[in-house]
């Protein structure tokens, strides 16, 4: 038996968490769930959006399934999602983007995997606000050491890309490719412009690639990569990217396969992993038994693979694919007309998936 932390989240979180838990259990995966809370609901009850018990539970179990959590805009607590990734050193964000028959999309037969670095780059959180003393001091120093001058009215965000961080993520991408029988890894960058950050990323990518001669390697400049993905996505397989490009291309690739309803994800580190849908907490649908549970269920497929339960993972993915392909017991977002009265609720779609697993 494997113990997994189930973070039920807020907004639509609790409904899809329950649907995903039921579907995963139906595969006979023998998982013991340890329930944990995070988000605005627990904040209202206890004064903290992320109780220490939740962090401790993921640390102890090493694996968690997390439903979405609301991040208040402007004021309130900072993103729990970002905090959890940093606290647990979940340096790799994995986002498979796969076409499922029955999902409305402009493309078919897409099968891409995004591996995004999760801790460095412009998302490291090292920022200097316009006009602050520290910012002016930094600008003065930069102006002293550079020909190009920065005005005192600038805000500054720092982009660290390290050898260690790049080695870890590129190795992760190759290991993932090898384990999952993928053929090619493409390293994405803007090394022609940012020579000391993206240039370093590319240099390390090439070095690591030499150790994986069984897997093809190539690199692409990020703007060209965007165009190529729209024009010839079938040429690509596993993409490894620094944090910012990874964030943007994750959404681009989710768009290629029909959107957020079927976009699963995982944040993985050496000591733990949290599996979660790409979408957010969709507060306007909270408590209505309306939204699509598939992205979190497919995140459960990734979780099962991560803990070595391959047969169970395959069974669950096939059941989800079959229900989507039939197009009958699916939520409103998967119907041609979003107001189609035959659309089923979150819980009923989970029931249909469970029925497929058992058939
Ligand atoms: P969202 O993903 O919640 O919603 C975007 C759109 O997609 C909305 O129209 C929503 O109704 C729809 N949608 C989302 N999930 C759906 C589903 N399962 N089935 C059908 N339709 C679905 O994004 P948002 O509105 O920008 O963010 C809402 C909140 O979620 C914010 O507080 C944001 O910070 C948070 N968020 C959390 C996570 C996370 O927990 N990992 C990720 C993204 C956003």
């Amino acid at each position: 038996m494997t113990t997994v932390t189930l973070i039920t989240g807020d907004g639509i979180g609790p409904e899809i968490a329950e649907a995903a838990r039921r579907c995963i259990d139906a595969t006979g995966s023998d998982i013991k769930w340890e329930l944990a809370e995070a988000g605005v609901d627990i904040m209202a009850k206890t004064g903290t959006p992320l109780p220490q018990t939740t962090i401790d539970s993921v640390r102890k179990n090493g694996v968690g399934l997390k439903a979405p959590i609301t991040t208040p805009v402007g004021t309130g607590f900072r993103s729990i999602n970002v905090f959890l990734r940093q606290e647990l050193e979940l340096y790799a964000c994995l986002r498979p983007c796969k076409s499922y028959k029955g999902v409305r999309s402009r493309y078919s037969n897409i099968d891409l995997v995004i591996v995004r670095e999760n801790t460095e780059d412009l998302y490291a959180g090292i920022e200097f606000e316009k006009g602050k003393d520290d910012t002016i001091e930094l600008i003065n120093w930069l102006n002293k050491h550079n020909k190009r001058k920065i005005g005192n009215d600038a805000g500054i965000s720092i982009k660290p890309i390290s050898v260690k961080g790049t080695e870890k993520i590129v190795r992760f991408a190759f290991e993932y490719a090898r384990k999952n029988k993928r053929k090619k890894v493409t390293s994405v960058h803007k090394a022609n412009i940012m020579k000391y950050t993206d240039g370093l990323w590319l240099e390390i990518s090439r070095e690591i690639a030499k150790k994986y001669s069984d897997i093809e390697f190539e690199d692409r400049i990020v703007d060209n990569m965007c165009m190529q993905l729209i024009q010839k996505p079938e040429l690509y397989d596993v993409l490894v990217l620094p944090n910012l490009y990874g964030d943007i291309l994750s959404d681009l690739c989710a768009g290629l396969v029909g959107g957020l309803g079927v976009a699963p994800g995982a944040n993985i580190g050496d000591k733990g992993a949290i599996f979660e849908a790409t979408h957010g907490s969709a507060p306007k649908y909270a408590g209505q038994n309306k939204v699509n549970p598939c992205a979190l269920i497919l995140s459960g497929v990734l979780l099962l693979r991560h803990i070595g339960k391959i047969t169970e993972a395959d069974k669950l993915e096939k059941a989800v694919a079959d229900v989507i392909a039939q197009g009958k017991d699916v939520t409103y977002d998967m119907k041609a007309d979003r107001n189609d009265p035959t659309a089923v609720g979150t819980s009923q779609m989970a029931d249909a998936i469970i029925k497929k697993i058992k058939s």
Side-chain angles (χ1 to χ4, degrees):
M1 182 183 284
T2 311
T3 306
V4 173
T5 304
L6 180 63
I7 304 175
T8 49
D10 58 37
I12 56 168
E15 300 157 58
I16 58 172
E18 176 61 10
R21 186 192 61 73
R22 287 200 296 122
C23 290
I24 294 168
D25 284 349
T27 65
S29 53
D30 199 20
I31 284 176
K32 181 179 167 222
W33 299 99
E34 198 166 279
L35 284 188
E37 288 189 88
V40 291
D41 298 343
I42 188 75
M43 169 91 180
K45 271 192 255 165
T46 66
T48 169
L50 183 62
Q52 187 59 37
T53 47
T54 299
I55 302 174
D56 292 345
S57 171
V58 184
R59 267 220 184 95
K60 171 170 67 75
N61 298 325
V63 55
L65 182 68
K66 187 183 92 46
I69 296 171
T70 304
T71 306
V73 176
T75 55
F77 54 84
R78 59 190 277 247
S79 169
I80 289 171
N81 304 306
V82 174
F83 182 79
L84 272 173
R85 280 171 213 157
Q86 287 171 350
E87 187 72 10
L88 301 167
E89 294 171 64
L90 308 177
Y91 62 87
C93 177
L94 182 71
R95 286 193 175 156
C97 296
K98 192 167 165 179
S99 302
Y100 288 99
K101 195 166 164 269
V103 180
R104 257 153 281 277
S105 162
R106 288 172 186 269
Y107 299 83
S108 54
N109 298 323
I110 303 267
D111 189 6
L112 293 161
V113 179
I114 298 267
V115 176
R116 164 188 171 191
E117 203 287 323
N118 237 353
T119 61
E120 301 198 316
D121 197 359
L122 285 161
Y123 285 28
I126 310 169
E127 302 212 280
F128 294 86
E129 192 180 339
K130 169 188 76 81
K132 286 275 158 83
D133 289 349
D134 284 356
T135 316
I136 303 292
E137 195 183 328
L138 177 63
I139 290 174
N140 288 340
W141 187 90
L142 288 168
N143 286 344
K144 206 169 130 198
H145 292 85
N146 283 285
K147 272 197 216 102
R148 274 194 65 100
K149 304 298 175 209
I150 303 171
N152 277 352
D153 60 346
I156 296 185
S157 299
I158 301 288
K159 173 179 164 118
I161 300 251
S162 72
V163 171
K164 199 169 152 220
T166 309
E167 278 176 351
K168 270 175 112 170
I169 194 70
V170 177
R171 202 175 292 125
F172 180 95
F174 275 102
E175 288 294 330
Y176 178 88
R178 193 176 264 173
K179 205 164 146 203
N180 292 277
K181 302 191 173 49
R182 315 286 304 209
K183 294 194 168 52
K184 183 164 80 173
V185 171
T186 305
S187 175
V188 184
H189 60 85
K190 189 83 183 170
N192 51 331
I193 304 295
M194 283 164 278
K195 298 191 191 303
Y196 301 137
T197 47
D198 288 26
L200 181 63
W201 166 277
L202 178 57
E203 183 191 324
I204 302 294
S205 295
R206 285 179 174 148
E207 267 170 35
I208 301 282
K210 286 186 199 146
K211 298 182 184 130
Y212 293 86
S213 52
D214 51 322
I215 295 157
E216 195 188 330
F217 172 75
E218 64 182 8
D219 71 275
R220 288 283 179 278
I221 292 176
V222 63
D223 34 357
N224 180 30
M225 187 77 247
C226 291
M227 192 193 64
Q228 299 257 329
L229 284 170
I230 300 296
Q231 286 195 325
K232 327 173 220 185
E234 69 284 357
L235 294 185
Y236 297 93
D237 192 347
V238 176
L239 310 181
V240 62
L241 311 95
N243 211 335
L244 175 63
Y245 312 144
D247 192 10
I248 297 167
L249 266 69
S250 294
D251 269 34
L252 189 153
C253 291
L256 295 178
V257 296
L260 291 171
V262 285
N267 293 296
I268 302 175
D270 293 334
K271 290 179 236 146
I274 294 184
F275 296 81
E276 62 177 337
T278 299
H279 65 71
S281 57
K284 70 177 172 193
Y285 291 131
Q288 293 179 29
N289 186 38
K290 185 172 169 83
V291 297
N292 189 345
C294 286
L296 192 62
I297 296 173
L298 291 170
S299 305
V301 170
L302 299 178
L303 185 155
L304 288 170
R305 292 213 173 101
H306 180 80
I307 60 173
K309 300 199 180 266
I310 309 298
T311 316
E312 292 82 351
D314 290 347
K315 218 192 287 181
L316 181 53
E317 186 177 15
K318 184 172 181 320
V320 172
D322 287 352
V323 169
I324 294 175
Q326 277 180 355
K328 186 171 147 281
D329 297 310
V330 296
T331 46
Y332 75 100
D333 56 308
M334 297 210 137
K335 296 283 186 183
D337 170 8
R338 288 168 83 91
N339 296 314
D340 187 333
T342 67
V344 302
T346 310
S347 167
Q348 290 66 38
M349 187 162 183
D351 291 342
I353 293 167
I354 291 167
K355 209 164 147 198
K356 283 278 179 214
I357 294 169
K358 305 222 178 248
S359 69

